[in-house]
Amino acid sequence: MSSAEVQAIAVGRPDRAGRSREGSPVALVVAVADAQPAAMALAAYQSADAAMLPHFYLDRDGTLHQLVAPVRAGHGLGRAIWRGRAHNLDRVAVIVSLAAPALTDLSEAQATVLADWLPVMAAQHGLSLADIGMLITDARGKRRVLPYLPPAAPVASAEGVILGSGVRSPEQELWVGLATVTWRQRGGQLRLNQAFSLHWGKFDLGAPLAPNEPPPVALDGKTYNFQVFARDTIFNEGTQYAAVQSLANLLGPDIGAIPAGGVSRALIEASYRSALKASAARAPLEGKTEFRADWRFHFVALQAKLGPALSGNYVTADRAFALQVFAGDTLYTPMSQQSGCCFLSLTDPASPQYAQLWAETYNVAGVPYNPTDPFHQRALELKLGTPLSGVVRETINGTAYELQVFAYDTLYRGPDGVIRRMSELPRSAEVQAWQPRPAAAPPPPAPPPAAPAQPIQPPAPVSSILNAPEVVWAGPPRRDPNWPPMPDFNILTDRNGQRERILGKIEWVRKSGDDITITNDWAAQNLIEVSIPQLARFRNTNGGRIRFHRVAADQLRRLWQAWEDAGLLQLVLTFDGAWWPRTIRSNPTTLSNHAYGTAFDINAQWNAFYKPAALVGDRGSVRELVPIANALGFFWGGHWNYDGRGASDGMHFEWAVAR
């Protein structure tokens, strides 16, 4: 369809409707969604007391109606914030009302008309595409005009064939049917000729947690359209719809700190708002709903890759627990220990709070908790995260099914009574063929990733390291939370299999809580007993003998000797452990470096996890020990600034590079 073929049907007398602009020029073309049925909307617009009178109304079938001539003012939009200031849109805008529940939920007919007609309408008034906006109500209830994002065009294959059609096998048809129901819970309409739906199907992103709807993320003059899923938030810049990008890729596999700004931080915050808005449509939200980098739950959820929140951060009715439900798990802490953070998935089912916490979790789906339900039991076994629906009944291709949508997969049961996973079905051909296009311009980068560990080299003598000019130490500054400075290396991580190549592969199963059981012979092959005379005074060190990884053992001996030679041992008040087979306390899917025998903790009482490390001059400070530790290849946990306000792990030292 060309612009010449888009014809508006006059409704009544458009040249007499509205009010005179009295010469006021059109400065903006604004689109607004109207969820009323078309007949009701048109009847309301023609009534004498119409609350809003747009210039044009676009029906779902692509029919364009003109109610007011553009030279006259449509009324009813009133004041809204546009380009940072409040404007009377009745005086400056041509209003286009769209029959749709949201501005991104348009029919293909509507999308086709808008793609051809809107640029022409703007040009007729001497405007550009930058002068087309969309009216939304933000999270604070304020009306705003945001840059307009044209609807995404259907995605075509390399041969020019529109995706979303073609012959499917019965299993593929079942997958499409189950996927459609999965999207319907929170994601709106599944469209297998649109980039976000195809990307979701191809890359197993978990269930959609909210529809793709405005407002988009606007930052530094660029606009990013996004949709949030249980495992990731995907986005594109501007109208590069097929150039789908990933928030998880922006953040990287090792999240040492919540980004302070940039596109990644804006997308994190937008994901929380979007997911919570969808949750609120299911059940009223309790507690606090904003994203806060200085809240333990939010840091842990981000590091453990649990997805955005699905509930507020609230206290249970009996005042026993603070909790927040996320896509991948529910985090909670007893009110008697508010600095803690526990995972529901790691809680003993025999614990008295177990049933209560699951009941709170099911509230986000608006359904009661039934611990004996076979769908729930199967979801527990498969670790599918938070339920997003109750058990629903659907007829797909003439067959009746029961199904339940969870964050990480949808379970279904057919006539044979066996509960199966949607993810095990074959995807349709268009999903299998999908490949995102490269983005023309990548978004501003997140904080730089961890630097790779340096190759293992023969260790240099302690004297040559400690006397090197760059580590000559004139004494620590007092009361400076930014001292000592970061070293010239970062931690050893799992990026590209780096940690496993250097330290060996640990095979493990969960024991209880954070603790694990190592199931292969890794410990026998890699751990040795290291004698550290400086630790003999601590009762929990077996006379100064601790287990440590053989790769780092010599550096550990030299570190403690160097601290003694520098007269700093009196600063070590407690020794709080070294090798301990467990996962990271804030990420139950990732092994701690303590499990690898390359880390140890000291002065834990004064340098608690997710708290600012004690300052120089305060009892328990370890900052004075850090320059020598860095010189000998050990990273200090106090250099992790988790929330941008100094929250860190100041007790923690871990081997990172060979020196």
Side-chain angles (χ1 to χ4, degrees), residues 155 195 198-199 202-203 235 241-245 433-439:
V155 176
L198 290 167
H199 201 87
K202 180 67 175 285
F203 295 106
F235 66 100
Y241 296 109
V244 179
Q245 301 181 68
W434 164 252
Q435 289 295 334
R437 295 176 186 171

Side-chain angles (χ1 to χ4, degrees), residues 381-615:
E381 176 188 341
L382 297 173
K383 298 180 173 59
L384 299 186
T386 297
L388 301 182
S389 77
V391 177
V392 298
R393 292 168 176 80
E394 293 283 338
T395 299
I396 301 174
N397 298 328
T399 301
Y401 292 92
E402 292 181 312
L403 60 94
Q404 187 168 10
V405 179
F406 293 86
Y408 293 153
D409 208 348
T410 293
L411 299 178
Y412 69 98
R413 179 167 58 190
D416 63 3
V418 178
I419 296 177
R420 295 182 171 90
R421 304 180 66 167
M422 182 181 76
S423 62
E424 295 174 342
L425 290 167
R427 271 62 161 179
S428 55
E430 62 267 48
V431 170
Q432 295 181 40
W434 164 252
Q435 289 295 334
R437 295 176 186 171
Q454 299 179 7
I456 297 178
Q457 301 290 340
V462 173
S463 58
S464 67
I465 296 174
L466 298 182
N467 293 329
E470 63 269 26
V471 296
V472 170
W473 184 39
R478 295 175 66 87
R479 321 308 302 168
D480 183 355
N482 298 314
W483 189 89
M486 287 280 289
D488 60 353
F489 59 87
N490 212 317
I491 60 173
L492 186 64
T493 71
D494 288 328
R495 187 186 297 272
N496 300 320
Q498 177 190 47
R499 183 165 63 163
E500 194 171 282
R501 284 197 305 273
I502 295 174
L503 302 178
K505 179 180 178 59
I506 295 178
E507 297 177 0
W508 59 278
V509 295
R510 178 78 56 191
K511 185 177 180 181
S512 64
D514 300 318
D515 294 345
I516 66 167
T517 298
I518 297 175
T519 58
N520 62 352
D521 63 352
W522 176 90
Q525 295 293 324
N526 293 282
L527 293 181
I528 61 174
E529 187 175 85
V530 185
S531 178
I532 308 293
Q534 295 81 9
L535 290 177
R537 60 192 172 103
F538 298 108
R539 293 182 178 179
N540 59 345
T541 66
N542 190 27
R545 295 184 296 276
I546 63 174
R547 299 186 77 184
F548 218 67
H549 199 292
R550 63 173 64 250
V551 167
D554 183 65
Q555 281 171 257
L556 181 71
R557 295 187 192 97
R558 290 187 288 131
L559 171 63
W560 284 89
Q561 185 61 54
W563 280 343
E564 181 178 12
D565 293 344
L568 298 174
L569 284 184
Q570 75 279 1
L571 297 175
V572 182
L573 305 180
T574 61
F575 183 80
D576 300 290
W579 179 62
W580 186 355
R582 64 173 175 83
T583 51
I584 295 175
R585 298 196 188 284
S586 57
N587 186 353
T589 64
T590 302
L591 290 177
S592 166
N593 277 310
H594 283 283
Y596 283 95
T598 57
F600 64 89
D601 295 335
I602 57 176
N603 293 11
Q605 177 182 344
W606 303 274
N607 299 275
F609 176 69
Y610 214 72
K611 297 289 185 182
L615 297 175

Side-chain angles (χ1 to χ4, degrees), residues 203-274:
F203 295 106
D204 192 22
L205 303 181
L209 301 183
N212 165 220
E213 63 178 7
V217 168
L219 192 70
D220 298 328
K222 297 180 179 180
T223 303
Y224 302 94
N225 185 35
F226 74 96
Q227 187 167 5
V228 57
F229 297 88
R231 287 193 173 95
D232 201 358
T233 292
I234 56 177
F235 66 100
N236 63 272
E237 181 185 330
T239 57
Q240 299 178 54
Y241 296 109
V244 179
Q245 301 181 68
S246 160
L247 174 60
N249 287 343
L250 274 188
L251 295 172
D254 309 300
I255 303 171
I258 295 176
V263 173
S264 53
R265 174 59 178 265
L267 285 168
I268 291 170
E269 294 180 354
S271 297
Y272 270 65
R273 289 194 299 268
S274 185

Side-chain angles (χ1 to χ4, degrees), residues 296 333-341 609-611:
R296 175 82 64 95
T333 184
M335 292 300 291
S336 59
Q337 188 185 354
Q338 296 184 35
S339 62
C341 185
F609 176 69
Y610 214 72
K611 297 289 185 182

